[in-house]
Amino acid sequence: MTDESLDREFQEAVDQINNHSEPFPADFLLRLYAYYKVATNNYEQPSSRKPIINAFKTNALFQVKGLNRNEAKRNYIDLVNNYFLYRK
C-alpha cells in the first residue's frame, strides 16, 4: 500500500468514526485515541478536566509507544473496520 492510499484510507476511517452517531465503548475510544495521536504526530498531553480521563489516555498512549505513523494508521483502520464489521 502506498503512503497516499494509506493516508486516504486512514482519513476515510477517521471520517467514518466522526460521522457515527451512536456511542462507542470506552476501551475502543482509548485505542482510537492512541493510534490517532501517533498517526498524526500529535504528542500533546491529554487535556481533559477530569484527571482520571487523562490517566486513561496517557496509559493508552504508553501502550502504543514504539509504533511508527504508518503502523498506527494501519491499526486505526483495522480497528475501525473490525468494529463496523462485527458490531451488532
Side-chain angles (χ1 to χ4, degrees):
M1 179 178 289
T2 66
D3 285 348
E4 185 177 295
S5 63
L6 179 61
D7 289 343
R8 185 174 45 254
E9 197 171 336
F10 174 70
Q11 189 56 54
E12 288 170 2
V14 170
D15 292 343
Q16 191 173 7
I17 291 298
N18 289 336
N19 293 329
H20 188 69
S21 60
E22 296 173 24
F24 293 107
D27 62 325
F28 176 78
L29 287 174
L30 286 169
R31 286 184 286 160
L32 284 179
Y33 169 82
Y35 292 143
Y36 183 85
K37 293 284 265 186
V38 173
T40 60
N41 274 337
N42 181 344
Y43 293 103
E44 295 175 10
Q45 293 295 315
S47 60
S48 174
R49 289 185 221 157
K50 297 182 180 183
I52 190 72
I53 302 251
N54 288 333
F56 280 117
K57 287 180 173 182
T58 299
N59 183 51
L61 289 170
F62 182 75
Q63 291 180 28
V64 298
K65 186 178 177 182
L67 284 181
N68 67 43
R69 290 184 72 201
N70 285 344
E71 290 171 326
K73 288 177 185 179
R74 285 186 200 100
N75 287 350
Y76 188 101
I77 293 163
D78 289 345
L79 190 61
V80 170
N81 288 342
N82 285 331
Y83 177 82
F84 286 108
L85 180 64
Y86 294 111
R87 75 179 181 110
K88 297 230 176 189

